[in-house]
Amino acid sequence: MTDIASEVLIERLAAWGVDTVFGLPGDGINGIMEGLRRHTDRVRFVLVHHEEAAAFMATAHAKATGRIGVCLATSGPGGIHLLNGLYDAKLDHQPVLAITGMQETSVLGTGYQQEVHLDRLYADLAEYNLVVDNPAQLPGVVDLAIRTAYARRGVAHLCLPNDVQVAPADADPYQHVAPARPPATAPVYLPAPGMPRPEDLEAAARVLNAGERVAILAGAGALHAREEVLAVADVLGAPVIKTLPGKAVIPDDSPYAVGGIGLLGTRPGEDLVDDCDTLFMVGTNFPYTKHLPEPGKVRVVQIEADPTRAGVRMPTQVPMIGDAKEGLAALLPLLRRKNDRGHLEKYRRAMDRWRADMAALESPDRDPIAPQYLMGCVDRAAADDAILTCDSGTIATWAARHWTIRGDRRFYLSGNLATMAPGLPYAIAMQHAFPGRQVIAFVGDGGFAMLMAEFLTAAQHRLPIKVVINNNNALGQILWEQMVLGYPEHGVRFAEPASDFSAWARSCGAYGRKVKAPGDVEEAVRQALAHDGPALVDVDVNPNEPPMPGKVGHDQAIKFAEAFLRGQPHRAAIATTLFKDKISQLGR
C-alpha cells in the first residue's frame, strides 16, 4: 500500500506525543481520515457530533494536561464551526492545533462548493496559519505548527487540500531552489519561561519587603505552583486572592485564601483590593481593571510568563518575566518574614464570616431549590480529586462560591472568552485524559442545550462523566445583567414548562433523573456520582435567585432598583428570594 501525505501528518503528530484527535469527518478530509485509519494504533480519533465541541475538547485537553490539543474538521462549514472553541484556546493561551480540509487545488478560486479560504478566516485567530500546497512541506511544517503553538501559547492551523492529502507521501511536483523537504526535527518541548533575572528578583523583594499590607493575586499561570504560593503568602503574611481560572491554585479552606474578585468574587476579596498597599500578581493578567486597585495607590510586582502581558493592567514597579513556580522559589530566600500578622488575621476573620454566609444559602429547606444548595450537594459528594468543568453564566457564580478546592480537585471553565457551552465537551475531553478520575460538568440549561448531542458522544464512548444541570429555564446571567443596567428583563426566559433533559440522557442509554423537590437533590446527586457510566441529573432551581456580587456598589444598587420601578415582571418573586437569602444568613 502506497504511503500518502496524510500519513506523514499523523506520524508527526504521534512523534510529538499526540494520542487523541477530536473531530467530525467530511468529504474535505477523507484523506486525513484514511491517514488516521492506517495509524489507529498510535493516534485515537474521537468522533463528536459538532465541530465546536471538538475544538472545546482540544482546548480542555491542553488545559488539563499541558500537552497540545488537536481537533479536526472538514472544509467550509466544518472549519467555520471550530472557531468558537478555538477562540477559547486563543484567549486562555492554550496550545491547540486545528487541522482542516480544503477543495482540490485545481478548483480553488472558482467558487467551488463549500470553498471557504479558512486560512484567511483564521488570520486573527492563529499564531501559525498555513495551507499546505505540496506534500514535500510535510513533515517540517507540522513541527513548526506544533512548536509555535507551544511557544506562543496559542492556536496553530494547518489546512490540507484534498489532492494534497492523498498524494504519495514522497511526491514533489515542483522544481525547487531550496531542499524540497523540510527535515523532521526531533520534537522539542519548549520549557517554561524559567527563572526571572536576578536583578528583577532583588527589586521585587525590596518592594514586597517594604509593603505593610501585601496581597497576592494568583491566576491560572500559578496552578502548578501551589506550595510556592503558600510559602510566599506565609512569609509576607499576605492573603491570597484567586482569579476564577486560578481557583485551584491553593485550597479554598487555606488560612490565606480570600476567594476571588469581580462579579463572581467575595466581599473579603473586594475589600482586600481597596485595603492593600502592595499587590503581587502571580501568573495572572486579570482583565477586569475596575476590580483592581486604583492606579498609583498601591505598588505592584508581577511575575508573568509572556513579556507582552507584563504590566498591561496596572502601573507595575517590577514586571518580572518568568515561570511562577521557579520565580517564587528563587524569590523566597530574599523575602523577610513579617511578624505582624494583623493584616492576615483581619481577612481570616472576614473569610470565616463569608463562608458562614455562603453555607447559610445552601439550605435544603428552601423551595424552589436554591442553586447554592445544588452546588453544595455536588461539593460534599464529590471526590477529593474530582475535576469540575463549568459553563459561563450564573452557574459560574455558584461554582466559584460553593465548589471547594481541597485535595487535588481541579476546576476549569472558559476564562477570557467566557463562552456558553464548553462545560460538557470539557468534561468529555478530561475524562479521556484522566480515565480514573471523577469528572463532573456543572452546566446551565441554556449552555447544555447548545451542544447536548455530545452527551450521546459520552455514552457512545462509555465515558463515566457526570452532568449536573442547574435548570432555571432562563438565560440567568443576562437576566441579571439587564437589571443591573436598569432595564426590565426581556427575552431571557424560555417558555414553560422547563425542559426535562433527563429523558434525553435515558434515551442515550445513560442514567438520567429529573429533580424538582429540594428533598430529592442530595440523593439524586449521590446516585449519579455512584453510577458506573455516564449520568445526568437535571434539577429545577429557583430562576429568581440573584448572583449578587460579593460587594454591591452604589451604582449597581441604584440600577437594580430602577429596573424594579420600571416594571420588572418578576419583581415579587425576586424580592421574596432576596428576603429569604437574608433571613437564611441572619438565622445561621
Side-chain angles (χ1 to χ4, degrees):
M1 186 183 300
T2 303
D3 289 348
I4 59 175
S6 291
E7 289 184 83
V8 179
L9 167 68
I10 304 306
E11 288 165 359
R12 287 312 291 165
L13 294 181
W16 277 92
V18 173
D19 58 13
T20 304
V21 173
F22 304 96
L24 187 64
D27 60 2
I29 53 170
N30 278 333
I32 299 175
M33 293 304 300
E34 174 61 11
L36 282 164
R37 187 193 68 80
R38 295 184 186 185
H39 293 282
T40 54
D41 59 327
R42 302 183 68 185
V43 179
R44 168 180 55 186
F45 178 72
V46 175
L47 174 61
V48 304
H49 286 83
H50 195 290
E51 291 93 349
E52 181 181 1
F56 279 137
M57 291 176 192
T59 302
H61 177 88
K63 287 184 176 183
T65 67
R67 302 192 307 272
I68 193 163
V70 181
C71 54
L72 174 64
T74 191
S75 55
I80 294 169
H81 282 160
L82 289 177
L83 281 172
N84 194 46
L86 293 177
Y87 267 102
D88 186 33
K90 173 184 172 67
L91 269 64
D92 280 355
H93 313 291
Q94 298 300 319
V96 167
L97 172 64
I99 301 170
T100 62
M102 187 175 279
Q103 287 69 24
E104 287 81 356
T105 55
S106 60
V107 299
L108 293 178
T110 67
Y112 200 78
Q113 184 186 32
Q114 296 186 338
E115 183 180 344
V116 176
H117 292 263
L118 294 172
D119 56 322
R120 300 176 197 172
L121 185 66
Y122 284 26
D124 175 63
L125 168 71
E127 299 290 343
Y128 187 93
N129 188 16
L130 182 70
V131 176
V132 179
D133 299 308
N134 186 338
Q137 291 173 275
L138 300 167
V141 294
V142 179
D143 290 3
L144 286 169
I146 295 177
R147 189 175 290 115
T148 302
Y150 274 126
R152 298 182 184 172
R153 305 293 301 176
V155 176
H157 172 227
L158 291 175
C159 184
L160 279 71
N162 273 332
D163 49 340
V164 174
Q165 295 172 31
V166 298
D170 59 355
D172 182 14
Y174 306 110
Q175 296 294 319
H176 296 279
V177 175
R181 184 184 297 276
T185 303
V188 177
Y189 297 92
L190 298 176
M195 193 80 68
R197 300 185 308 174
E199 56 266 40
D200 291 338
L201 289 166
E202 292 169 2
R206 286 194 294 272
V207 172
L208 296 170
N209 286 333
E212 296 182 357
R213 301 184 310 280
V214 181
I216 296 173
L217 176 60
L223 285 170
H224 65 308
R226 173 179 290 187
E227 297 306 318
E228 290 76 13
V229 170
L230 289 171
V232 169
D234 178 59
V235 171
L236 296 175
V240 178
I241 304 165
K242 301 183 293 181
T243 68
L244 195 54
K247 181 174 171 60
V249 170
I250 67 172
D252 280 316
D253 58 359
S254 165
Y256 304 101
V258 295
I261 53 176
L263 294 178
L264 281 64
T266 66
R267 185 178 184 91
E270 290 288 318
D271 287 342
L272 178 59
V273 165
D274 295 331
D275 185 36
C276 66
D277 63 12
T278 307
L279 181 65
F280 188 11
M281 300 175 68
V282 181
T284 181
N285 189 36
F286 189 77
Y288 307 106
T289 53
K290 71 177 182 179
H291 294 285
L292 293 173
E294 186 177 335
K297 291 243 178 132
V298 301
R299 304 192 76 193
V300 178
V301 173
Q302 184 178 12
I303 182 165
E304 167 59 55
D306 185 343
T308 64
R309 298 200 298 265
V312 166
R313 304 304 179 190
M314 293 188 65
T316 303
Q317 279 65 42
V318 186
M320 292 186 289
I321 308 305
D323 174 68
K325 186 178 182 70
E326 292 189 48
L328 293 178
L331 181 65
L332 262 171
L334 305 177
L335 299 176
R336 295 196 301 269
R337 184 174 182 82
K338 298 186 187 299
N339 294 319
D340 183 354
R341 315 305 271 186
H343 175 61
L344 179 60
E345 290 298 330
K346 173 182 176 181
Y347 286 95
R348 284 181 179 174
R349 293 191 296 271
M351 275 305 293
D352 286 343
R353 293 191 295 271
W354 173 265
R355 292 184 184 108
D357 284 345
M358 293 300 100
L361 296 176
E362 297 179 11
S363 171
D365 300 324
R366 297 171 63 194
D367 194 1
I369 298 165
Q372 299 97 323
Y373 175 58
L374 172 59
M375 186 70 255
C377 289
V378 174
D379 181 60
R380 288 186 291 275
D384 283 352
D385 66 346
I387 298 171
L388 186 78
T389 67
C390 187
D391 270 359
S392 299
T394 56
I395 36 141
T397 302
W398 315 134
R401 295 176 179 171
H402 301 272
W403 172 251
T404 306
I405 297 299
R406 62 174 183 264
D408 193 28
R409 282 186 173 183
R410 298 192 192 182
F411 175 73
Y412 297 99
L413 80 171
S414 173
N416 287 306
L417 186 61
T419 181
M420 294 176 68
L424 175 59
Y426 268 30
I428 291 171
M430 290 178 187
Q431 194 74 81
H432 271 293
F434 302 105
R437 293 180 70 165
Q438 189 180 70
V439 180
I440 306 166
F442 184 63
V443 297
D445 54 299
F448 180 78
M450 287 182 173
L451 290 174
M452 61 187 288
E454 301 311 329
F455 189 81
L456 180 57
T457 301
Q460 290 171 333
H461 286 268
R462 297 178 175 84
L463 296 174
I465 65 165
K466 316 304 178 188
V467 178
V468 179
I469 300 178
N470 184 83
N471 194 338
N472 58 14
N473 203 40
L475 299 173
Q477 189 69 31
I478 309 305
L479 184 160
W480 295 103
E481 287 173 350
Q482 288 179 356
M483 292 185 64
V484 168
L485 291 170
Y487 309 146
E489 65 174 71
H490 180 69
V492 291
R493 297 192 191 241
F494 296 110
E496 296 288 349
S499 299
D500 181 358
F501 295 107
S502 69
W504 165 241
R506 292 191 296 274
S507 75
C508 295
Y511 176 95
R513 181 167 175 181
K514 181 72 170 179
V515 177
K516 299 184 178 183
D520 296 333
V521 175
E522 187 168 5
E523 177 204 6
V525 167
R526 291 188 180 278
Q527 285 185 354
L529 294 182
H531 181 69
D532 183 20
L536 181 150
V537 180
D538 181 8
V539 183
D540 287 352
V541 299
N542 187 355
N544 299 304
E545 181 71 39
M548 299 297 287
K551 189 174 182 179
V552 180
H554 175 74
D555 290 344
Q556 289 174 312
I558 293 296
K559 294 292 187 182
F560 194 83
E562 286 177 354
F564 267 63
L565 295 174
R566 288 169 60 183
Q568 166 55 246
H570 296 271
R571 59 183 177 273
I574 293 170
T576 299
T577 299
L578 288 168
F579 178 73
K580 287 180 178 178
D581 283 353
K582 187 53 64 177
I583 290 297
S584 295
Q585 292 174 339
L586 292 175
R588 57 180 166 79

